[in-house]
Amino acid sequence: MNPLLSRRQLLLTSVAAPFANAQSIGIGGPVGHKILVIGAGLAGLNAALILEQWGFDVEVVEARDRVGGRLWTLDHMPGAPEGGGNVIGSGYGRVIYRAHELDVPLRTPPSALPSDYQIGGQRIPRSDWAVADANPLPDDWREIHPERLLAKLNEDNPLLKTRAWHHVDLMAQDQPADVGLRSLGFPESAIRLINANNSYGNHLSDTSLMGLYRVLGEFGRLSGPALAVTEVTQGNMRLPEAMANRLTRPVSLNEPVLRIRQTPAGIKATLTSGRTLDADAAVIAVPLPALGQIALDLPPDRRALLKSVAYHKVVQLHCIVDEPFWEAAGWSGSWWTDGQLGRIFTRPIPDSTRHNMTIWINGDDCDRLNALDADACTDMILSALWKLVPEAKGVTSVGQLVRWTTDPFAGGAWALWKPGQAGSAHDAIRAPTGRLFFAGEHTAEAYRGMEAAMESGERAALEVLRLLA
C-alpha cells in the first residue's frame, strides 16, 4: 500500500466522521440557530468551523488579545520559538487535515541539539553516561539515559492496545506513579530521576500511573516514520489564525465572559465589558481554571469536580544564543538536569548561525518561581544558568518568560488527573448541562495535546447538533 495514500485516507476519515454523523441525523442546515463559542483555541475554533459548515450562526468570543489559546508562537523573537504547543504528532489527523485544508504549510522541525547531563551537581557528557561515576542507576539500568527511563513502562502497558485510558475498570487499578513504579521494579534512583523532569504530573506522588501508561502507549503504538513530528512552517499560531479567518464572523477579542444564564429558550452571556449575547446554546472551550471564573448554573458537585482537576506547572525561559559556546568546551549544546533548571533545549535557527535556547522547568519546582514577579523569576533562572554554563553569559540574551500557571486564562499547561480520578470525573466534567457544552483538551476521549483539543471541539459540535435537531 502506498503509505502517503493510506495516510491521506486516515486523515480524511478522521475529519469526515462528524459530517457523516450529521447526515445520519438528517439535518440539512439549522437555519436560525445561533451558537456562542467561548474560547478561540483549537477546541473552540474547530467546534465553530464545524457548526458553521452545518449552517449554524456562530459567534466566537475570546478573553485574550489573540486567538490560539495555549498555542503561542513567540513571533517577536528570532527563530519564533513556541511558548505553547510545539509539535504536531504524526497521529494528529484532525490537526494535519485542517492545516492542509487551510493551506497552512507544515515542515519537519529543526532538531534540538543532543543533551548532556548534570546529575548531583556533576556534568556528564552524553557519551559517558553509562560509565560515569555520577550515574546513580544500578548496573542493569546504567545504559538507559534519564529521558528514556519511562519507556520501560511499555514492557507491560495495558494501554498499548486500547485508548480507553479512563475506563472505570482500568482506573480501579490506578495508583500514584511513584508507588506503581516501585511495584514494577523501578529502582529508587530511576524514580528520583523521572520525578526530576516529570512532564505528566507536578510530583510523582500525585501523578496517575495510568496517565503515564497513556502517554507511553501513544508512543508505543507508533514506529519508524510514524514517530515523525511536524510543526507549522511559520509558527504553530498560524493554524488557529487561519481557522479564525475562515469563519464568517470575526472572533471578538479581549472579551472575557463574566456569567452565563440558561433559560428554557436559550442562554444569555454577560461579558466583562457589559455586553450581553443571546444564543440557542454555548460551547465553552476554555481550561478549567478559566472556566471557574465564569458564573454558571452548575450543581455544586459539578463545580467541585471542576476545581478538583490539577494543571501541570511549567516555567519556560526562551533565550537567543549568538554563538555556540558549548563547542569549545566539547559539550553537545542541550542539557538534562536533576536540578533547578530542569531541561535546556537548544535548537538551531534556520538560515542563521544563532540558536534558540529554551529552559523548561516542570512541576512543583515551579512554585517558588511562580511566586516571584517576572523580573525576579528571570534573574533566578539566569543565575542558575550562568552557574551551570558560565560560558553562556556573554553570548546569551533573554527573549521571553512564559508561565502558564500564572496566566489567568490558562492556569497551567495542560490538565492532570490524579490517580484514579479520571474514572469517575472525566465523563462528568465534559457532560453537557442543558444548553451548555464543554470542549478543551481536558475533555478529550482519546488523544492528548493539540489533537485532543480538535477532537473535543468536534465532539461538542455533534452534541449541539443533537440538541437542536
Side-chain angles (χ1 to χ4, degrees):
M1 178 183 290
N2 183 322
L4 181 60
L5 179 60
S6 63
R7 180 175 181 77
R8 183 172 297 144
Q9 289 171 336
L10 172 64
L11 297 178
L12 290 172
T13 300
S14 70
V15 178
F19 296 94
N21 288 336
Q23 291 171 353
S24 70
I25 296 173
I27 297 297
V31 177
H33 287 305
K34 180 176 179 181
I35 310 301
L36 176 64
V37 175
I38 300 167
L42 290 179
L45 291 171
N46 200 39
L49 282 172
I50 293 171
L51 289 166
E52 189 169 275
Q53 287 175 291
W54 288 342
F56 288 96
D57 176 16
V58 180
E59 181 166 2
V60 182
V61 297
E62 166 59 44
R64 304 179 190 275
D65 60 1
R66 61 172 180 82
V67 301
R70 283 168 289 172
L71 288 188
W72 184 23
T73 303
L74 306 178
D75 291 313
H76 58 286
M77 287 184 61
E82 300 295 339
N86 51 21
V87 293
I88 299 169
S90 60
Y92 286 12
R94 295 168 180 85
V95 177
I96 296 170
Y97 177 88
R98 279 295 184 199
H100 288 319
E101 179 200 31
L102 298 171
D103 295 322
V104 176
L106 305 178
R107 70 176 182 184
T108 300
S111 296
L113 301 179
S115 292
D116 295 312
Y117 304 98
Q118 179 168 359
I119 306 297
Q122 298 189 49
R123 291 166 70 174
I124 306 171
R126 184 177 188 85
S127 58
D128 294 348
W129 172 253
V131 297
D133 290 340
N135 179 337
L137 298 172
D139 288 347
D140 54 344
W141 287 67
R142 288 178 67 83
E143 293 189 0
I144 305 175
H145 290 255
E147 66 272 26
R148 297 291 303 159
L149 287 168
L150 266 181
K152 293 279 285 183
L153 279 177
N154 270 348
E155 294 178 0
D156 186 25
N157 187 345
L159 294 181
L160 281 173
K161 296 181 180 180
T162 176
R163 290 189 180 275
W165 61 275
H166 63 88
H167 190 279
V168 63
D169 291 342
L170 286 172
M171 281 294 121
Q173 307 169 38
D174 200 14
Q175 55 189 311
D178 56 345
V179 175
L181 293 175
R182 287 188 191 98
S183 70
L184 292 168
F186 279 64
E188 288 300 322
S189 54
I191 293 172
R192 187 184 68 81
L193 288 177
I194 291 169
N195 191 56
N197 284 305
N198 176 19
S199 293
Y200 312 110
N202 292 316
H203 193 280
L204 282 177
S205 62
D206 56 22
T207 298
S208 161
L209 179 64
M210 202 58 63
L212 296 183
Y213 275 133
R214 178 191 183 195
V215 174
L216 272 296
E218 286 192 19
F219 294 128
R221 284 188 288 269
L222 303 173
S223 62
L227 283 169
V229 297
T230 56
E231 65 182 7
V232 177
T233 302
Q234 298 299 323
N236 290 336
M237 280 267 292
R238 306 295 86 84
L239 178 57
E241 288 169 354
M243 294 169 72
N245 289 336
R246 175 63 65 88
L247 293 169
T248 301
R249 191 196 304 263
V251 174
S252 297
L253 300 175
N254 298 303
E255 290 278 27
V257 175
L258 183 63
R259 69 177 63 89
I260 301 174
R261 295 288 180 261
Q262 295 198 64
T263 70
I267 64 102
K268 181 182 290 291
T270 303
L271 311 183
T272 56
S273 64
R275 191 159 70 103
T276 60
L277 299 173
D278 295 309
D280 295 285
V283 174
I284 305 176
V286 300
L288 291 176
L291 179 60
Q293 301 175 42
I294 302 173
L296 299 173
D297 296 323
L298 294 177
D301 58 342
R302 178 76 173 269
R303 283 198 164 276
L305 273 180
L306 299 180
K307 293 180 179 179
S308 70
V309 178
Y311 270 65
H312 193 58
K313 305 167 188 173
V314 169
V315 173
Q316 304 169 22
L317 187 65
H318 294 267
C319 301
I320 300 297
V321 182
D322 293 324
E323 297 176 13
F325 61 84
W326 50 87
E327 291 181 354
W331 297 103
S332 302
S334 295
W335 282 267
W336 193 104
T337 86
D338 64 351
Q340 179 183 355
L341 291 180
R343 290 168 294 174
I344 301 173
F345 302 101
T346 306
R347 190 173 98 158
I349 299 174
D351 304 317
S352 171
T353 59
R354 306 168 84 189
H355 291 73
N356 291 122
M357 174 182 282
T358 301
I359 300 166
W360 186 295
I361 303 167
N362 277 312
D364 289 343
D365 287 340
C366 297
D367 288 347
R368 62 174 176 167
L369 294 169
N370 284 329
L372 303 173
D373 63 32
D375 289 342
C377 178
T378 300
D379 288 345
M380 179 175 284
I381 296 172
L382 287 177
S383 294
L385 180 63
W386 307 149
K387 184 176 180 180
L388 173 66
V389 281
E391 309 93 331
K393 190 169 185 179
V395 295
T396 303
S397 57
V398 172
Q400 182 69 52
L401 176 68
V402 177
R403 298 190 288 183
W404 290 108
T405 303
T406 61
D407 183 328
F409 306 123
W414 48 79
L416 302 173
W417 300 93
K418 298 181 181 71
Q421 184 182 36
S424 58
H426 186 270
D427 288 344
I429 280 176
R430 72 179 193 166
T433 300
R435 294 173 178 267
L436 302 180
F437 301 86
F438 300 90
E441 54 87 19
H442 58 283
T443 70
E445 177 69 27
Y447 289 90
R448 300 183 306 112
M450 299 184 210
E451 186 70 3
M454 298 288 282
E455 174 202 310
S456 72
E458 181 180 287
R459 186 253 315 144
L462 279 167
E463 291 171 342
V464 170
L465 185 65
R466 293 189 185 105
L467 172 74
L468 297 179

